[in-house]
Every structure is written in C-alpha cells, then in structure tokens.
Amino acid sequence: MSFNYLLKKSSASTQSLQIRKEVVTTKTTIRTAPSVHAASRSSNLQQSRKQIKHVPEKVRIKKENEITRKRRTPSQGLVNFSSDDSEAGDEEEQDGSRKKLKAASDQNLDLKRQVRNKSAFSEDDGGIFPMVHAADIPLLDKTTKYIPSFEGLPENTEVSLQYPSASQRERYLLMQPRTKRSDNNDFNALEDIVHVMHQVIAHYLPLSQRELFDNDATGYPKRLHRAISRKSEHELTTVIEDWNDALNKLRANGVISEVLDEYHNIQPDLVERILSQACARTVSLGIKSLREYENGTDNVYGELLPRFVSRILREDTHLKSDQIFVDLGSGVGNVVLQTALEIGCESWGCEMMKNTCDLAEQQQAEFEARCRLWGLAAGDIHLERGDFLSNTAIAKILPKADVVLVNNQAFTPQLNERLTSLFLDLKEGCRIVSLKSFVPAGHKISARNLYSPFNVLDVEQKEYFSECVSWTAAPGTYYVSRKDSRKIKAFAARNE
C-alpha cells in the first residue's frame, strides 16, 4: 500500500455503524419487530454551529457534542484528508444512520455511566504500563514484509504520538506492508495516526478547539497530508510534535476532562477504533491459530461485527452500566470487550478452544491498556476458559445476568437443546440474543409440555442486514428472547 493509496478520496473512510430498518412479517408464535422508516439526513453543519454560537459556556460543551463533524469510522480503509463538497455529501448520506443510533442512545441515557478513567489523567505513576506499541507490529508480524511509508523516508523512522490521557505516548515505525494481505488485516502506521487524530478531535475537544485542530488550512490532519505528499520527514515529525504539545496543554488545563465528564456514553465509532487497535496488536498477529475450528461441529468460529453488536446493546436489550452481560462462546472476546466499553457494564465470556482463549487473553490485556491510553473507563471483564455448560463461574453468574448472547449459528441441535434447559436458571426479564431461535416455530403451551423450557421464553424475530456478521455479507435473522414465566402460571391457572 503506497502513500498515494493513503491519499485517495473514498467514502470508505466515512463508513458508519448503521442500524438498519426492520421488516414486518406475518405474525406467528415468534413475534417479529415493526418496521421503521430510515432516519432523515442531517441539517447543514454550518447552520448547527451557528445555533450554538451564543450558548453560555457552561452548557456549550454538551451542545457541541451533539454536532457530527467529520467523524471517521475505525474500519480499515482509506483515509480521506479532504474536506471538499464530495466529503460533505458522503457525510450527509451517512448521517441518517448516525442519528438513528444516537437517538437510541439518547432515549436510554444511562446517567450512572461515567466514561472518564480518572486514574488515566493522573501522573502519579508516570503513565507507564505494558502495551504493544504500533512500532512493535512490523517486528511481531512474521508473515508480512514492511517498507517505509513513503519513498525517501529512512527505514525504521520512529515517531511518538500523544493520546488524550496522561499516559505514555505510543511509538510508531513509519512503515506499511509491501503488498496487501489477503485477509485485509493490513496495518499502516500513518493511517492509524490519522484515525487517532480524527477520533480525538471528534470526541475529546470543545468546538473552538475542534475548529483549530481540524482546520482545512492549518489543522493537524491537513498538515500531515501535506507532509506526506511532499515526502518530507521533517514536516511530518514536526506536525506530530506540535500535536503532542497542543494535546498536552489541553489535558493539563482540564479541557479534555471537562469534555469527557459531560458524557454518559461512548459513541460506537470511538469504541470500534479502540477495538480495532487492540485487535491489530494481538489477534491479527495470531490469526492463523483460529483455523483449528472444525466445520460440522460446535467449534466453528464466527463473529458478530461491531455495528450489529451496538444495535443489540442499545436498541434490542437497552443494557445499562449497572447490569451484567454474558457471551456464551465468546471467541477472542470481541463482543465482551465492546460491551464493557460501550456500555460500561460487567461483561463475561466463556470459550473452550485453547488457541482462541490465548488470543482472547492477549487482546483483553491490550484492550485494557488502550482504554487507559484513551482515558476511558470500561466495565469489569471476565473471560473464562472451558465448556460454558460446566464452567463453575458461568454457572454462578448466569442467574444474575441481564443479557445473554449466544452465537449459535453453527451449534448442533443437541447443544442448543442443552442450552435451553440452562436458561431455566435465568432471572425473570433476562434477554437472550441468538442467531437461531431456541423455541420451535409454532410451539404452543399444553398440559403435556407444561414444564418445557420453551414455555418460559417470549421470542421476537428480527432481521440483520448486510455486513453484520463475519461469515457472510448477506442479511439474515436473529432472535431476542425474554424469560417470562407468567405464561406457564397463567396456563396452569386456567386449567385448574
């Protein structure tokens, strides 16, 4: 991937975490969700800024955070430095999805959720802790040949980037893969730096500072673009040092803390950026070990992608920071980590494949380091090894769980049946999200099956659309079940 590739315009850099419309179908025993219209497009950004221009300073930060301004997703892809009309059009096209997700978040605002990690803004311990620096990736990745980020740049050129917290800077070797990897898990140092800058500008700064940092003429991403286009090592390192100094001053003056303290949730694009960084420094380097999964067994690997997970957490289950989430068959821990950060709740996962568990533990350690680097507080994370049907810790936490996720797309019928019996121990109101329904279509309560575990589940069928799961780009169905024993009691009362 050359630096010219990095500079191309692409709407891929403005991909959003979309929440799609649900489709109405004929009612059966399994209820289907109602259809909703797509959200309308955003109003002009300049008009929004004018509306808050004269807002008193005490409420200005909160108002500013409602403005969507050049937010890039953390998805891998091209970085678009441009801010011309074509970019504005791309932003407008995606804004409907952003607004729908934000509306879901605002409607279920969790006032107990505090997003700032206060210890990350303290310099008492020097801000030094174990982490995988970006500079380590070319050394750890034995399958990829790396070259300097642009022609004329000396080999092994290193820079250090400041994050919003008082923690150590991240070291970067300005290198990129010589050829694009077939699994699309390329790591490009300059792309990562630019993504960090855009996320900090969008989520950590008041409006007045956003305009300075992201100015089309003198903003840091624009200056970095010019340095790359001129192939100037001196300009590039100067831009990064200026960024570091400016961010340190804002943190020291309490500006960044003030912005974060206004938040009661973390936007999905920032969550996904942090997850992407943790994955690139751990799981992506050991991806070959996941090939041990066997087709035709319960050990087939597949992931729910972040935007789909956000929908489940925010719209389907309305999970809160004082609740408990459990992922049965948690793989490398992606959903557990996302939930802990996006919601701030206690998050559990259980996985039985050894290599996958190893990667999950590596990723958890790096994820926690990344949260400190970004100055964000995540909920407690517990990753268990072994069979979730017999794991002692899982058996103890399940009766307390508020949301249980089971990616049972490839589970055998026997395992699904055993899982259904396990759900009898869940508390009333607990929601179970699955890719296949645990209740057979057309099932009805009768005297013969009165004590069947199927009877305690109230199931709603929903649709996910394209690019929501790792094993296919096609749309599909999923199910949100709620434990509700009242149906059994009502049936028993009617038949006394």
Side-chain angles (χ1 to χ4, degrees):
M1 184 188 300
S2 68
F3 79 96
N4 289 323
Y5 178 77
L6 183 66
L7 302 180
K8 290 180 181 178
K9 296 179 182 178
S10 172
S11 60
S13 66
T14 55
Q15 289 176 344
S16 66
L17 299 172
Q18 299 180 358
I19 302 301
R20 303 285 187 145
K21 296 185 295 182
E22 295 172 1
V23 178
V24 176
T25 59
T26 304
K27 283 191 174 182
T28 62
T29 302
I30 299 175
R31 295 184 292 108
T32 57
S35 174
V36 295
H37 291 288
S40 60
R41 294 187 174 182
S42 66
S43 59
N44 184 276
L45 293 177
Q46 294 295 334
Q47 181 179 355
S48 298
R49 296 191 191 106
K50 289 178 181 178
Q51 290 174 351
I52 69 164
K53 186 174 182 181
H54 302 293
V55 173
E57 187 63 30
K58 289 184 178 180
V59 298
R60 181 171 296 170
I61 291 175
K62 187 173 181 180
K63 293 278 188 180
E64 290 164 359
N65 291 334
E66 297 176 1
I67 295 178
T68 302
R69 180 165 163 45
K70 292 186 179 180
R71 293 192 181 165
R72 278 75 172 174
T73 71
S75 311
Q76 290 183 351
L78 305 180
V79 176
N80 190 347
F81 294 91
S82 171
S83 60
D84 59 15
D85 293 339
S86 63
E87 182 188 69
D90 291 336
E91 287 183 350
E92 185 175 336
E93 184 176 349
Q94 300 295 338
D95 193 65
S97 297
R98 292 195 193 106
K99 290 179 72 176
K100 188 171 187 293
L101 184 56
K102 185 178 185 301
S105 175
D106 290 346
Q107 289 171 7
N108 300 281
L109 190 62
D110 183 358
L111 296 177
K112 296 179 181 179
R113 172 73 163 123
Q114 301 298 317
V115 305
R116 182 165 69 95
N117 180 350
K118 295 181 180 180
S119 63
F121 288 83
S122 170
E123 300 181 5
D124 293 344
D125 62 355
I128 305 299
F129 48 87
M131 59 177 277
V132 180
H133 288 266
D136 299 326
I137 294 177
L139 306 177
L140 296 172
D141 187 356
K142 304 301 183 182
T143 63
T144 306
K145 173 68 175 177
Y146 286 83
I147 59 175
S149 294
F150 55 80
E151 185 180 351
L153 186 68
E155 194 167 346
N156 297 324
T157 298
E158 185 173 299
V159 297
S160 297
L161 185 71
Q162 182 66 49
Y163 282 70
S165 70
S167 302
Q168 62 197 348
R169 296 178 180 180
E170 179 163 22
R171 297 182 292 103
Y172 285 82
L173 278 179
L174 299 184
M175 304 185 76
Q176 64 184 19
R178 181 188 293 275
T179 57
K180 189 173 180 63
R181 285 172 48 164
S182 59
D183 59 8
N184 293 320
N185 284 315
D186 299 305
F187 178 80
N188 184 302
L190 287 176
E191 283 190 359
D192 198 68
I193 290 172
V194 172
H195 281 307
V196 170
M197 287 184 173
H198 283 308
Q199 290 295 330
V200 172
I201 291 168
H203 300 294
Y204 288 79
L205 306 181
L207 180 62
S208 58
Q209 294 298 326
R210 289 185 207 172
E211 293 177 337
L212 291 174
F213 274 58
D214 208 21
N215 184 278
D216 286 339
T218 60
Y220 296 101
K222 197 69 174 182
R223 289 175 58 194
L224 192 63
H225 160 62
R226 287 197 294 266
I228 297 171
S229 63
R230 294 170 182 170
K231 302 179 183 180
S232 172
E233 176 190 359
H234 174 71
E235 283 188 44
L236 191 150
T237 55
T238 299
V239 172
I240 292 175
E241 283 304 317
D242 289 348
W243 164 274
N244 294 342
D245 293 341
L247 207 57
N248 277 331
K249 288 178 181 178
L250 291 177
R251 187 195 70 252
N253 292 336
V255 174
I256 293 175
S257 294
E258 185 178 357
V259 172
L260 289 181
D261 287 343
E262 290 286 339
Y263 292 145
H264 292 290
N265 60 54
I266 303 175
Q267 290 302 311
D269 59 331
L270 177 56
V271 174
E272 193 178 347
R273 167 67 4 215
I274 296 169
L275 292 170
S276 177
Q277 286 190 323
C279 180
R281 290 154 176 79
T282 54
V283 176
S284 291
L285 300 175
I287 198 72
K288 286 185 177 180
S289 65
L290 297 181
R291 295 175 182 171
E292 69 178 34
Y293 281 84
E294 301 176 33
N295 289 327
T297 73
D298 296 319
N299 300 322
V300 178
Y301 190 74
E303 297 260 351
L304 307 189
L305 300 184
R307 68 170 184 175
F308 184 23
V309 175
S310 289
R311 171 184 181 167
I312 291 170
L313 300 178
R314 293 169 179 257
E315 290 194 6
D316 295 329
T317 63
H318 308 296
L319 193 63
K320 296 292 190 295
S321 60
D322 58 354
Q323 296 182 314
I324 296 175
F325 172 84
V326 179
D327 184 358
L328 300 179
S330 52
V332 295
N334 289 348
V335 177
V336 176
L337 302 181
Q338 179 174 348
T339 304
L341 182 56
E342 189 163 335
I343 304 301
C345 67
E346 182 179 346
S347 298
W348 288 73
C350 189
E351 174 60 43
M352 66 184 301
M353 300 296 289
K354 179 184 180 304
N355 289 350
T356 309
C357 290
D358 293 342
L359 287 176
E361 290 174 358
Q362 293 172 30
Q363 182 169 224
Q364 178 186 354
E366 183 61 22
F367 170 81
E368 291 172 343
R370 293 278 136 193
C371 288
R372 181 171 177 181
L373 205 60
W374 286 91
L376 299 175
D380 292 337
I381 298 167
H382 308 270
L383 294 178
E384 292 289 320
R385 290 174 176 255
D387 186 344
F388 50 69
L389 292 172
S390 57
N391 182 279
T392 303
I394 294 299
K396 289 181 179 179
I397 200 63
L398 271 178
K400 303 176 184 178
D402 297 280
V403 175
V404 177
L405 173 66
V406 188
N407 180 0
N408 61 340
Q409 177 69 28
F411 283 4
T412 60
Q414 293 79 9
L415 179 55
N416 279 322
E417 184 176 348
R418 293 179 67 189
L419 266 171
T420 307
S421 298
L422 193 68
F423 296 154
L424 290 171
D425 295 328
L426 297 177
K427 67 182 182 182
E428 292 295 305
C430 177
R431 286 178 168 80
I432 305 154
V433 182
S434 60
L435 275 293
K436 289 183 178 179
S437 177
F438 288 102
V439 179
H443 175 79
K444 294 182 179 179
I445 300 178
S446 66
R448 180 177 298 180
N449 67 17
L450 183 59
Y451 298 104
S452 167
F454 298 150
N455 296 331
V456 301
L457 298 180
D458 185 19
V459 185
E460 186 175 10
Q461 177 180 309
K462 299 194 173 188
E463 280 196 3
Y464 64 80
F465 279 68
S466 60
E467 309 295 340
C468 280
V469 296
S470 65
W471 57 89
T472 179
T477 56
Y478 69 108
Y479 301 84
V480 179
S481 306
R482 181 176 180 272
K483 183 176 180 184
D484 185 356
S485 302
R486 291 176 299 178
K487 294 185 298 181
I488 295 179
K489 296 177 182 177
F491 181 88
R494 288 195 305 269
N495 291 274
E496 285 181 348

